[in-house]
Amino acid sequence: MTSTNVQGPVALKNVASFMAMAMKLIEREPHLPGFGVCHGPSGLGKSYASMFAQIKVKARRIEVGETWTRRTLLRQILKECGETVRKSWSASDLAELAKASLGGDASRPLIVDEADKLVDKNLIEVVRELQNESGVPVILIGEEKLPEKLLTVERMHNRVLHWFPAQPCDLEDTRALAKAFIAKEIKVEDDLLEAIRQRSGGRARRIVVNLDRAAELARNNGHKLLNLKIWGNHDFYTGEPPQRREIEQFPRRSALKVVV
């Protein structure tokens, strides 16, 4: 069985842009706002880029859950800071410890994934207060409407230093993904890569699924070269569900055929 070349995060353009935003926040002057926002549709690789930055700058990173409360949010942040907390501590106690822990090394950003939920659950003010009093850079990651949601919070919209809209993958990004996820002995030509990119909507997650299908095609047929002609009429993964089927709930009775 062939192996891929993945040894870590793939350096796509969104990864580079996310790192640039992180460094801008870390190196900002003390009087400048401390928030960065990465936003865009799902599948563009926002979380992937944040994990790369997390490793590079030793950031603390949390992903907001559907059932989180104020206390859950603070406990998760403190867990990332390596703090041990008591169940009896109030939200105020947790917040004070979080400010001190985050501020202890303000060069380590706090990355908050699924940040839309912070606004939806009225928790964004907790994070704003933590950032304001600790001075730590905070990067919020969310869907395309996250900037609009933040603009509805009076004390948030002017605290964002950098807005980063994640971009769809281009052909160069798709080549990088193919290099990482398809065995090195298999060459994939640009016509197929561009078709995969387009049919995937430029979304890295879908591109990787289609590259996996291409790798399977190559393995099953012994191909060392893949192009659009060899791909033929194989389906592309687009993320769309199958069309609704017309199936009778109660099939009509039909006359039985007697075979003599």
Side-chain angles (χ1 to χ4, degrees):
M1 183 175 178
T2 55
S3 59
T4 60
N5 310 310
V6 181
Q7 297 179 343
V10 183
L12 304 180
K13 292 183 176 63
N14 281 335
V15 173
S17 297
F18 196 103
M19 270 300 301
M21 174 176 61
M23 295 308 301
K24 183 174 183 177
L25 287 165
I26 293 170
E27 297 171 356
R28 77 190 191 285
E29 295 296 328
H31 64 277
L32 292 176
F35 277 94
V37 176
C38 173
H39 60 97
S42 64
L44 290 184
K46 304 184 298 296
S47 297
Y48 192 82
S50 74
M51 292 175 187
F52 180 88
Q54 179 185 7
I55 296 169
K56 290 295 185 181
V57 301
K58 298 181 179 179
R60 301 174 174 106
R61 183 179 182 278
I62 62 171
E63 185 171 325
V64 182
E66 288 287 349
T67 61
W68 280 23
T69 64
R70 182 177 280 100
R71 285 165 60 87
T72 311
L73 170 64
L74 291 166
R75 285 178 178 277
Q76 289 298 319
I77 291 173
L78 287 168
K79 182 179 179 181
E80 280 296 303
C81 293
E83 300 285 357
T84 302
V85 300
R86 297 178 181 176
K87 291 183 179 180
S88 60
W89 286 0
S90 67
S92 297
D93 294 331
L94 296 171
E96 290 306 311
L97 180 57
K99 294 170 191 175
S101 296
L102 291 170
D105 188 353
S107 66
R108 296 181 63 185
L110 172 64
I111 299 174
V112 184
D113 205 348
E114 300 288 345
D116 303 76
K117 296 171 187 173
L118 291 178
V119 186
D120 298 340
K121 295 174 177 292
N122 296 317
L123 296 175
I124 191 65
E125 281 289 352
V126 176
V127 177
R128 184 200 62 78
E129 182 180 318
L130 294 179
Q131 192 287 316
N132 187 55
E133 298 198 21
S134 69
V136 69
V138 175
I139 300 175
L140 304 176
I141 305 172
E143 298 300 318
E144 187 64 19
K145 291 185 178 180
L146 179 58
E148 296 176 32
K149 291 183 177 182
L150 291 173
L151 288 174
T152 66
V153 184
E154 184 178 356
R155 291 190 288 184
M156 270 301 302
H157 67 272
N158 62 349
R159 295 178 183 271
V160 178
L161 178 65
H162 189 81
W163 302 89
F164 163 43
Q167 300 298 318
C169 290
D170 58 14
L171 180 57
E172 186 177 351
D173 286 334
T174 308
R175 289 194 194 108
L177 289 169
K179 184 178 180 180
F181 289 98
I182 292 186
K184 58 185 178 182
E185 60 267 23
I186 300 172
K187 176 179 173 55
V188 186
E189 295 190 341
D190 280 354
D191 62 344
L192 178 56
L193 291 178
E194 178 60 17
I196 287 175
R197 188 195 70 80
Q198 291 184 15
R199 295 300 301 273
S200 302
R203 302 193 183 200
R205 190 177 300 149
R206 297 178 185 175
I207 289 173
V208 170
V209 174
N210 279 309
L211 289 173
D212 183 70
R213 292 185 175 185
E216 183 179 9
L217 173 65
R219 287 195 302 268
N220 292 343
N221 295 277
H223 294 310
K224 298 299 181 183
L225 173 71
L226 289 175
N227 53 35
L228 198 54
K229 182 178 180 180
I230 293 173
W231 180 269
N233 60 357
H234 286 82
D235 291 333
F236 290 94
Y237 175 77
T238 64
E240 297 177 358
Q243 293 183 350
R244 179 182 175 183
R245 298 177 297 167
E246 295 296 333
I247 300 177
E248 290 183 302
Q249 186 173 2
F250 302 103
R252 299 170 185 173
R253 292 183 178 180
S254 57
L256 294 176
K257 294 183 179 180
V258 179
V259 179
V260 180

